[in-house]
Structures are given as C-alpha cells and as structure tokens.
Amino acid sequence: MSRIVEIRGIRVGEGVPKICVSLTGRTKEELREEAELLLRTTDLDFAEWRVDFFENADSAEAVLEQLAELRNLLGDIPLIFTFRSAREGGQRELTTEAYTRLNREAAASGHADVIDIELFTGDEVVRELTAEVKRLDAVSIVSNHDFDATPAQAELVSRLRRARELGADIPKIAVMPRNPGDVLTLLAATYEVSSEQQGPIITMSMDKTGVVSRIAGGTFGSALTFGAAKNVSAPGQLAVAELKGILNALYA
Ligand SMILES: O=C1C[C@@](O)(C(=O)O)C[C@@H](O)[C@@H]1O
C-alpha cells in the first residue's frame, strides 16, 4: 500500500510539508476575491473551502453551485471541501443527515479533490462516507478538533488510528494547548503515529503557543500545515509567504 497520497500530482507525505490556505468568504464575491488572491500566491499547495462560513451553507444546491465556481476559478489548485461543525470550532451546525448528504454530493460533483469528514460524526457514518469518497475517486481527510484542550497522548494516538481504521486517507487532529507541555504532547502523538508508516497524517496545536507545531510538525511526521492568505481559519496560522520560507529553510 502506498504511504503517499497523491492529489493532482502533489505527493502528500513526501518531501517538504504541504501548505493549505482556507477560503473563508461568506459571499460569492468574497470567495471570488479570495480565490483570485490564492491564484496570485505561489506559496500554497492546497486550497480549502470552509463551507461553514458561506452564507448559503444550509442550501446544498447553493453550495454545489459555489463549489463548481470555485473549481473553475482555482484551476489546478487541489481543493479540500470542509464543512466544520460548530461543535468542532466551525460557524454552524448541520444535522448528521444533511452533513453526510452535502459531503457525498460534493464528492460526487468531481469538483472537490478532498473531503474533510469529522471523526465524531459517528463511526458507521464515517466508514460509509470514506468508502463513498474513495469510490468517487476523491481523497478523504478524517478530522478531529478540540478548541478547548489537548487530550492525553494516548487519546490523540487513538483518534488518529481510528480515523485511519474508518477509511481515512489522511487522519487529521487540531488541538488547543493550555501550556507548552501540551504542544509537546501533540508532537509526540504525531511522531508515534507517523512512525507506524501507515500513510500521511496532519496535526497541529493551535493558537500562539502552538505555532511551533505548524512549523516543526513536519519533523515529527505531520504532512501538511495551514497558512493564511487573507484571513486565518483557526488561531495560530502564519501568513502563507512567511510559512513557506520557514518550511523551505527547515525541510527543502
Ligand atoms: O482542520 C483544520 C485545521 C485548522 O483548524 C487549523 O488549526 O489550521 C484550520 C481548519 O480550516 C482546517 O479545516
């Protein structure tokens, strides 16, 4: 089984950690402006559409129409489709049924390269959704976010492994540190799971204390990190040009 996940020619889990920038626009116009900004930014590898910020996020039809427009605007930039639930730090909540349907339709559209699926949606839902995403030739990130604390290393490891067991191509976890020791816990969990060589993972410790994990995470096995172009989509993200320079200095 390949340990690398290749998306539009970009090999996640190999070489310099990849950089993703989130689109957080609330309107079509804001999203167009953000997409045009990304096209002028040579420092990123992936774009993520944070659908939960979109004013019409509760309309599957409007979301799919906007997704097609973003695909057209972004050209060959790989696109991650992410609806972040309010309980995991996002802007709004959908029912499990609506969330599942939206992600399934986004994968079926062919316009999203990657679908972010939240681990806590439920094991069977996640298992079915990752299988559907795979059938539709898309890639699945199975993610978990704790905006209040950092669980123990064993719990972080367990969640990353469970994401993989449920079909994730790329498990992901983002946690909030209450002290520098929590950042070490996140990095230790990253190293423990990446050392199992089952494929790429993405991890980060958020906010100012956790910034070092967005830079040094690659040393411990995190394959991708998030940077900001116009707006951050989570606390602690660095400006993408600054992040690119640091990653190249560390890993190129
Ligand atoms: O899951 C993640 C990671 C993230 O929360 C971060 O901390 O950079 C930013 C989110 O937009 C993304 O979906």
Side-chain angles (χ1 to χ4, degrees):
M1 174 179 109
S2 169
R3 304 295 180 227
I4 305 295
V5 175
E6 187 162 342
I7 304 161
R8 291 185 183 253
I10 295 175
R11 293 170 63 81
V12 181
E14 184 178 76
V16 179
K18 305 303 180 282
I19 293 177
C20 182
V21 176
S22 303
L23 298 159
T24 59
R26 296 187 183 279
T27 65
K28 291 170 69 73
E29 295 72 26
E30 287 179 4
L31 286 166
R32 170 180 287 278
E33 285 171 22
E34 287 182 313
E36 288 169 350
L37 175 61
L38 293 199
L39 286 167
R40 299 194 297 272
T41 305
T42 56
D43 299 321
L44 76 154
D45 301 290
F46 288 84
E48 176 196 49
W49 181 24
R50 277 288 302 275
V51 181
D52 52 298
F53 280 94
F54 186 43
E55 61 184 357
N56 299 324
D58 52 1
S59 160
E61 184 182 357
V63 167
L64 293 170
E65 183 182 320
Q66 181 59 47
L67 177 58
E69 184 158 334
L70 281 175
R71 174 76 278 151
N72 184 45
L73 284 168
L74 291 171
D76 284 337
I77 298 177
L79 180 57
I80 302 171
F81 181 91
T82 298
F83 183 98
R84 183 65 63 241
S85 62
R87 65 180 179 275
E88 298 216 2
Q91 301 296 303
R92 67 180 74 198
E93 204 72 39
L94 289 179
T95 64
T96 299
E97 183 190 359
Y99 174 84
T100 305
R101 186 172 66 246
L102 187 66
N103 281 299
R104 185 177 291 127
E105 291 179 356
S109 74
H111 298 316
D113 301 287
V114 184
I115 306 294
D116 180 301
I117 303 163
E118 292 179 355
L119 176 64
F120 285 3
T121 309
D123 285 7
E124 282 323 302
V125 171
V126 173
R127 195 190 306 276
E128 288 170 14
L129 204 40
T130 57
E132 179 82 0
V133 166
K134 197 175 292 288
R135 273 195 298 275
L136 293 163
D137 292 325
V139 169
S140 62
I141 289 173
V142 175
S143 65
N144 178 245
H145 310 76
D146 188 328
F147 274 70
D148 299 315
T150 297
Q153 180 174 339
E155 177 59 23
L156 294 172
V157 169
S158 169
R159 292 181 191 179
L160 288 165
R161 284 175 178 162
R162 189 148 62 90
R164 183 90 67 197
E165 286 161 11
L166 293 175
D169 295 300
I170 309 176
K172 174 172 72 169
I173 198 159
V175 292
M176 186 60 75
R178 292 179 175 171
N179 54 60
D182 282 347
V183 183
L184 286 177
T185 299
L186 181 279
L187 293 173
T190 304
Y191 185 59
E192 181 175 351
V193 174
S194 64
S195 300
E196 296 167 352
Q197 297 187 336
Q198 294 302 303
I201 61 174
I202 300 170
T203 68
M204 63 279 291
S205 179
M206 295 185 276
D207 221 353
K208 199 73 179 166
T209 305
V211 168
V212 66
S213 73
R214 298 181 184 277
I215 296 167
T219 302
F220 303 91
S222 183
L224 181 146
T225 183
F226 283 76
K230 184 178 178 189
N231 303 309
V232 300
S233 61
Q237 291 175 356
L238 295 174
V240 61
E242 187 181 20
L243 182 59
K244 181 73 171 182
I246 296 169
L247 295 184
N248 281 340
L250 284 178
Y251 301 110

